[in-house]
Amino acid sequence: MKPLLLFVLSMVTFARDAAAEDAECVRERGAMIETIRAYAQSDARALGPQGLSERVLEAMKQTKRHLFIAERSCSIAYVDGPVPIGLGQTMSQPYIVALMTQLAAVAPDHVVLEVGTGSGYQAAILAQLARKVCTIEIIPQLAEGAAKTLKKLAYDNVSVRLGDGYDGWPECSPFDAIVVTAALGEVPPPLIEQLRVGGRLVMPVGTGYSTQQLTVVEKIAPGKTATRAVALVRFVPFTRSND
């Protein structure tokens, strides 16, 4: 009976640890959601009359942001600002993540491309809203780390690829939405080509480490797009394989 007893004890320990992890950062995550709501209420220009959907807010609420940074710290992960994730990269301010997700207009049957996986946090948000997420990261350490985290947290509808996101991911296309998490002076033409008619691309357009325009590009017909700038933002620069 000793092996059985040891098994039972190990299961009890696992259940206790899982419950403790579920309880982590609940207060901080709740405060983050309220801050996002407050920003959304005052940002009608960017969001329009529809505001921020409860579906996006619920995805933000359910995603454990602290598990996507090395420190696993509640006080660091849920601050109202970007969080460094190493190698000169950052995880965006929570409201900016929510805003970009809302602007992408992701539906449950959508296939979404993310360019700039980083820690995997934005991909985790998108994974709860879409059927499939294909995400590309050019920095090997980040791509590997994000893939491990997303797998551990059972985001099984996310595929992570190491590479230059400028050329998109043709094998996963066409995409109903594309989210680019780094700044570039132009919208990459291959991404527009891989965007489905009726789809949206959301990205910061401008020079890295300076003020950029968060831009929404809607593909309204083959070879035809409509572009609008919605907010001023500051993102790290888009990294190319030849940089």
Side-chain angles (χ1 to χ4, degrees):
M1 294 297 292
K2 286 184 179 180
L4 177 60
L5 177 61
L6 289 174
F7 175 75
V8 171
L9 288 174
S10 67
M11 289 298 293
V12 169
T13 301
F14 175 81
R16 184 172 62 244
D17 291 345
E21 183 178 285
D22 285 343
E24 281 182 350
C25 307
V26 170
R27 179 174 60 83
E28 291 85 354
R29 194 153 58 247
M32 179 192 76
I33 295 299
E34 292 310 307
T35 300
I36 292 171
R37 286 186 189 276
Y39 276 121
Q41 289 171 2
S42 63
D43 201 5
R45 178 180 176 274
L47 287 165
Q50 76 279 3
L52 195 60
S53 75
E54 288 298 322
R55 190 164 171 262
V56 170
L57 282 169
E58 185 62 23
M60 299 286 295
K61 183 179 180 180
Q62 294 300 322
T63 306
K64 297 176 181 178
R65 187 173 163 95
H66 61 287
L67 300 182
F68 290 88
I69 61 172
E71 297 86 351
R72 300 292 194 270
S73 166
C74 300
S75 59
I76 295 175
Y78 297 96
V79 297
D80 181 29
V83 177
I85 57 172
L87 302 166
Q89 305 301 302
T90 60
M91 183 163 59
S92 295
Q93 176 189 8
Y95 175 64
I96 296 300
V97 174
L99 175 60
M100 294 181 74
T101 304
Q102 178 71 35
L103 293 172
V106 180
D109 61 341
H110 280 183
V111 177
V112 180
L113 174 66
E114 179 195 27
V115 177
T117 313
S119 67
Y121 178 68
Q122 174 75 80
I125 301 292
L126 294 169
Q128 296 172 71
L129 302 171
R131 177 172 63 85
K132 181 179 180 181
V133 177
C134 300
T135 179
I136 306 173
E137 173 56 55
I138 198 168
I139 301 175
Q141 299 96 313
L142 292 180
E144 181 180 357
K148 287 181 179 178
T149 300
L150 290 162
K151 182 177 180 180
K152 180 180 179 182
L153 297 176
Y155 289 104
D156 298 327
N157 60 336
V158 180
S159 297
V160 181
R161 177 180 181 177
L162 175 65
D164 187 339
Y166 188 94
D167 296 319
W169 193 336
E171 296 84 357
C172 275
S173 67
F175 300 106
D176 300 283
I178 298 175
V179 176
V180 182
T181 63
L184 192 65
E186 63 174 7
V187 177
L191 300 187
I192 297 298
E193 291 174 11
Q194 293 170 35
L195 187 64
R196 192 187 300 274
V197 172
R200 291 185 178 187
L201 178 148
V202 182
M203 70 173 288
V205 175
T207 306
Y209 299 120
S210 64
T211 301
Q212 305 116 16
Q213 290 281 357
L214 184 59
T215 301
V216 178
V217 180
E218 296 186 60
K219 191 169 185 178
I220 56 180
K224 187 176 181 181
T225 59
T227 302
R228 60 189 174 99
V230 297
L232 295 176
V233 291
R234 289 177 67 91
F235 277 77
V236 297
F238 193 111
T239 302
R240 299 296 313 279
S241 57
N242 57 354
D243 285 350

